[in-house]
């Protein structure tokens, strides 16, 4: 059960005591010039707040507070403290925001400033429900998390605080994402983005765009995902957010098969994360770098250059191992699932099947623990590939059918095209030609749906030639040509030509 501290922090008590000493001083001051300076600072600070220049606004409201303290005007102190509460919230410092709202509440209560008192009390309630929402999400209690954020959003709307509503919406969206509720995830970010734009809040705009990009990436609309990430990169100036954009853009280019460009973005992200000493982000970037190396290795493998292929496989393996160490250290289960699966793919590529199965099994179990359907689906397809290569055809089909059922729940096109392909290959091995043709067609249909959303023709072609997607076309054409030779009246040759 979540509990909340009800006592004031020492810092709050000291600040209040300091204000009391200043305000009860017996020494008179000439305040006319200071009052004018206060008004100028306060008005300029408010202008900067409205244009989204929060750091400048923060500095001027702090000056206003200092002047109000000097002239012993508690009403002006209360107004400045109240504004600082909003600014620290905008700057992503909710604990500091809470502290300033507490001080403003103390003075508003003392001075009977009912409007400010009500807003401060409500802002403090919002803080509690916001914190509860994040705690519930961390513990996997998604319904409770959403409920807490919805309460915080309703309170924000009650006092007309778009600042609070914005951040609560975006945080609630992350709960929807963790709970595989992709439409709700997208919609919450679209609404949050609209508010961020009206507030000129660049940081939040960037983060909402990144999240919207994540949504499009998860439903395999890679062109739109790239568009959102690039929009975010243009406006973000927080290094952590910049590295996230770079990492995501690199990941998209890797999917398109543009490896050099992918590694350029990923290495830039890696450099920023090293500067920040951000192990969590380094782990994610290393996983994507490993994936880019592995996919390049597959290209050399297809060309028959086994030495070059193995060189890239081992480069990938090194990146994955470093990524896994950091993910385990940070207890980042989502990244662990991906990396364990990716290590398994390398051992499968190297035909070390027992080792591959061991990593796939661990990955699947971790994905199942956290209800990560995408991770479960990808791992099941890879387990199916190993069973196919070992000649366990029935087991291979079972694994891929389970993967398809999971993928259909989350619009997982990346899982679907490969699962259908692997089932088709297995049926072909068993000489179940009609079943093989049906599944090759299903794989191609899924691939074409994804390709139809890619805008640039060059990237459409690259996507098709990356990660064995074109294999379904080649195998289907081969089967159709063979079928035509035995049944020419059915005109399989025309169908083969069309594919």
């Amino acid at each position: 059960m979540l509990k909340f501290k009800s006592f004031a922090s020492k810092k709050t008590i000291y600040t209040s005591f300091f204000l009391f000493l200043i305000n009860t001083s017996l020494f008179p001051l000439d305040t006319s010039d200071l009052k004018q300076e206060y008004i100028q600072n306060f008005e300029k600070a408010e202008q900067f707040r409205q244009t989204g220049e929060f750091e400048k606004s923060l500095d001027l409201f702090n000056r206003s507070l200092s002047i109000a303290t000097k002239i012993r005007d508690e009403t002006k102190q209360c107004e400045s403290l109240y504004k600082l509460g909003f600014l620290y919230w905008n700057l992503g410092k909710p604990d500091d925001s809470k502290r300033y709202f507490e001080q403003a509440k103390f003075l508003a209560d003392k001075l009977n400033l009912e409007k400010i008192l009500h807003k401060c009390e409500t802002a403090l309630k919002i803080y509690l429900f916001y914190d509860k929402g994040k705690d519930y999400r961390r513990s996997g209690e998604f319904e409770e998390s959403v409920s807490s954020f919805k309460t915080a959003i309703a309170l924000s709307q009650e006092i007309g605080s778009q600042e609070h509503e914005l951040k609560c919406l975006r945080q609630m969206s992350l709960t929807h994402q963790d709970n595989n509720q992709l439409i709700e995830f997208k919609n919450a970010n679209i609404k949050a983005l609209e508010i961020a734009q009206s507030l000129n809040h660049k940081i939040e705009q960037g983060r909402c765009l990144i999240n919207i990009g994540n949504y499009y990436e998860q439903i395999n609309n890679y062109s739109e995902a790239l568009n959102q990430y690039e929009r975010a990169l243009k406006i973000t100036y927080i290094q952590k957010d910049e590295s996230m954009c770079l990492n995501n853009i690199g990941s998209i280019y890797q999917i398109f098969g543009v490896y050099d460009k992918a590694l350029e973005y990923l290495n830039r992200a890696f450099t920023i994360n090293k500067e920040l000493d951000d192990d969590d982000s380094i782990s994610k970037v290393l996983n994507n770098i490993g994936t880019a190396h592995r996919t390049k290795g597959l290209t050399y493998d297809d060309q028959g250059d086994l030495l070059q292929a193995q060189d890239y496989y081992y480069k990938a393996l090194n990146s994955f191992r470093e990524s896994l160490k950091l993910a385990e250290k940070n207890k980042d289960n989502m990244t662990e699932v991906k990396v364990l699966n990716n290590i398994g793919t390398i051992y499968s590529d190297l035909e070390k099947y027992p080792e591959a199965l061991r990593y796939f099994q661990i990955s699947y179990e971790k994905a199942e623990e956290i209800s990560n359907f995408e991770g479960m689906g990808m791992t099941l397809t890879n387990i199916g590939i190993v069973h196919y290569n070992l000649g366990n055809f029935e087991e291979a089909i079972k694994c891929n059918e389970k993967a398809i059922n999971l993928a259909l729940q989350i619009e997982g096109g990346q899982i679907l095209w490969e699962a259908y392909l692997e089932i088709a290959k297995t049926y072909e091995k068993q000489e179940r030609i009609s079943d093989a043709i049906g599944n090759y067609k299903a794989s191609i249909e899924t691939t074409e749906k994804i390709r139809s959303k890619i805008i640039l023709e060059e990237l459409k072609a690259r996507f098709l030639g990356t990660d064995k997607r074109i294999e379904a076309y080649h195998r289907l054409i081969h089967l159709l040509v063979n079928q035509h030779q035995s049944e020419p009246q059915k005109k399989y040759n025309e169908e083969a030509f069309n594919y």
Side-chain angles (χ1 to χ4, degrees):
M1 185 175 176
L2 294 164
K3 296 181 180 178
F4 305 101
K5 297 177 183 177
S6 58
F7 53 85
S9 67
K10 288 182 180 179
K11 195 166 185 181
T12 302
I13 294 167
Y14 295 155
T15 305
S16 299
F17 184 60
F18 172 73
L19 292 173
F20 169 78
L21 289 177
I22 292 292
N23 292 330
T24 55
S25 171
L26 299 177
F27 297 101
L29 290 169
D30 180 7
T31 61
S32 56
D33 289 344
L34 288 172
K35 283 180 179 176
Q36 188 58 39
E37 188 180 346
Y38 171 87
I39 292 168
Q40 289 172 351
N41 279 297
F42 194 92
E43 289 178 351
K44 190 67 177 172
E46 184 61 17
Q47 288 171 15
F48 280 131
R49 187 184 72 81
Q50 290 176 6
T51 57
E53 298 174 88
F54 301 128
E55 294 285 358
K56 291 179 181 177
S57 180
L58 182 76
D59 182 50
L60 288 171
F61 275 127
N62 269 317
R63 287 191 212 171
S64 298
L65 176 61
S66 177
I67 294 166
T69 305
K70 280 182 187 176
I71 62 177
R72 299 189 286 279
D73 188 326
E74 289 187 319
T75 301
K76 288 182 169 55
Q77 288 173 45
C78 183
E79 290 170 350
S80 296
L81 289 164
Y82 171 69
K83 292 290 186 180
L84 285 164
F86 283 106
L87 277 170
Y88 278 111
W89 181 268
N90 276 346
L91 290 165
K93 298 178 179 179
D95 292 338
D96 288 330
S97 171
K98 174 177 176 279
R99 182 162 58 85
Y100 279 95
F101 277 126
E102 284 173 340
Q103 293 176 47
K105 174 179 171 286
F106 171 79
L107 288 177
D109 190 24
K110 176 183 173 183
L111 301 168
N112 292 319
L113 302 173
E114 291 183 8
K115 190 174 178 181
I116 292 180
L117 175 62
H118 173 64
K119 289 193 174 184
C120 288
E121 287 174 339
T122 307
L124 292 168
K125 285 180 189 174
I126 293 167
Y127 171 87
L128 289 177
F129 282 105
Y130 172 85
D131 233 24
K132 278 174 70 176
K134 293 204 294 183
D135 285 341
Y136 280 130
R137 183 174 67 234
R138 279 190 283 265
S139 61
E141 298 172 88
F142 299 128
E143 285 185 19
E144 292 84 352
S145 175
V146 169
S147 177
S148 292
F149 284 126
K150 281 184 175 177
T151 302
I153 290 165
L155 289 167
S156 304
Q157 292 169 343
E158 180 193 318
I159 60 170
S161 174
Q162 287 193 305
E163 291 90 345
H164 284 94
E165 184 181 359
L166 162 59
K167 201 174 288 289
C168 292
L169 272 167
R170 186 174 59 76
Q171 284 292 336
M172 184 174 72
S173 82
L174 300 179
T175 302
H176 287 310
Q177 183 183 36
D178 287 354
N179 199 25
N180 297 307
Q181 296 172 313
L182 294 185
I183 297 297
E184 291 85 349
F185 168 62
K186 178 192 71 170
N187 290 341
N189 277 291
I190 288 172
K191 191 171 181 181
L193 178 61
E194 289 171 359
I195 297 173
Q197 288 168 335
S198 72
L199 295 172
N200 293 306
H201 199 320
K202 299 294 185 187
I203 297 170
E204 286 291 338
Q205 285 179 49
R207 289 172 182 169
C208 291
L209 287 167
I210 290 169
N211 287 342
I212 294 168
N214 287 342
Y215 164 77
Y216 282 112
E217 185 172 354
Q218 284 181 267
I219 65 163
N220 313 119
N221 188 339
Y222 299 120
S223 281
E224 189 55 37
L226 188 61
N227 176 43
Q228 299 296 333
Y229 294 145
E230 288 178 338
R231 282 178 67 194
L233 188 61
K234 285 176 184 175
I235 63 174
T236 189
Y237 57 89
I238 302 293
Q239 277 192 302
K240 188 174 175 67
D241 293 345
E242 182 187 356
S243 75
M244 195 183 302
C245 290
L246 293 166
N247 180 40
N248 293 349
I249 291 170
S251 176
I252 297 292
Y253 278 121
Q254 185 273 129
I255 290 168
F256 286 149
V258 189
Y259 307 114
D260 292 338
K261 200 163 188 177
L263 287 168
E264 176 192 330
Y265 279 97
L266 293 171
N267 286 326
R268 281 170 63 191
F270 182 80
T271 301
I272 292 171
N273 292 325
K274 272 289 189 185
E275 287 173 10
L276 296 172
D277 199 23
D278 183 354
D279 284 349
D280 183 52
S281 297
I282 289 170
S283 174
K284 291 177 173 63
V285 174
L286 282 170
N287 180 50
N288 284 335
I289 289 172
T291 303
H293 285 313
R294 187 237 169 187
T295 316
K296 194 161 187 176
L298 289 172
T299 304
Y300 281 112
D301 213 336
D302 289 341
Q303 295 168 357
D305 192 340
L306 299 184
L307 283 177
Q308 276 280 41
Q310 288 204 354
D311 182 48
Y312 277 101
Y313 290 154
Y314 282 110
K315 279 182 182 177
L317 191 58
N318 288 336
S319 292
F320 291 143
R321 282 173 173 160
E322 288 301 310
S323 174
L324 184 61
K325 281 181 194 173
L326 294 173
E328 288 172 340
K329 174 186 163 188
N330 297 319
K331 298 181 180 176
D332 180 355
N333 293 328
M334 296 287 278
T335 302
E336 274 189 72
V337 167
K338 291 178 183 177
V339 181
L340 286 163
N341 174 69
N342 289 340
I343 291 173
T345 63
I346 295 296
Y347 282 117
S348 181
D349 296 333
L350 294 168
E351 298 182 6
K352 297 181 179 181
Y353 298 125
E355 196 71 358
L357 281 174
R358 186 169 74 85
Y359 277 98
F360 289 144
Q361 193 59 43
I362 299 169
S363 175
Y364 181 82
E365 288 168 5
K366 282 189 175 290
E368 194 172 33
E369 280 174 24
I370 59 174
S371 300
N372 180 353
F373 292 168
E374 183 182 22
M376 291 164 67
M378 292 293 285
T379 306
L380 281 167
T381 299
N382 287 327
I383 292 171
I385 290 170
V386 171
H387 282 301
Y388 171 86
N389 287 325
L390 292 172
N392 304 328
F393 299 133
E394 292 304 320
E395 195 60 37
I397 289 170
K398 281 181 191 174
C399 287
N400 282 297
E401 283 177 342
K402 283 174 71 176
I404 287 168
N405 289 334
L406 284 167
L408 290 171
Q409 295 180 52
I410 59 169
E411 299 185 59
Q414 175 66 19
I415 299 168
L416 283 174
W417 72 258
E418 190 168 16
Y420 284 129
L421 169 64
E422 295 303 327
I423 288 176
K425 285 164 65 177
T426 308
Y427 283 142
E428 188 178 351
K429 274 280 187 186
Q430 295 175 317
E431 297 186 357
R432 294 168 59 179
I433 303 305
S434 178
D435 290 332
I437 287 173
N439 279 277
Y440 282 134
K441 287 180 178 180
S443 177
I444 289 168
E445 184 183 348
T446 307
T447 298
E448 289 300 331
K449 278 183 183 175
I450 298 171
R451 288 182 74 224
S452 69
K453 298 171 186 172
I454 299 173
I455 296 168
L456 295 177
E457 290 300 322
E458 180 192 351
L459 293 182
K460 278 187 180 183
R462 280 183 173 273
F463 176 80
L464 185 60
T466 302
D467 198 12
K468 70 181 184 183
R469 295 182 188 98
I470 204 167
E471 187 178 352
Y473 297 78
H474 290 165
R475 286 178 172 270
L476 177 60
I477 291 165
H478 174 71
L479 287 182
L480 290 171
V481 168
N482 285 346
Q483 288 293 97
H484 177 71
Q485 289 172 353
S486 57
E487 299 177 274
Q489 72 278 8
K490 291 189 177 179
K491 298 184 178 180
Y492 285 112
N493 60 333
E494 291 181 14
E495 197 176 356
F497 177 79
N498 288 333
Y499 277 102

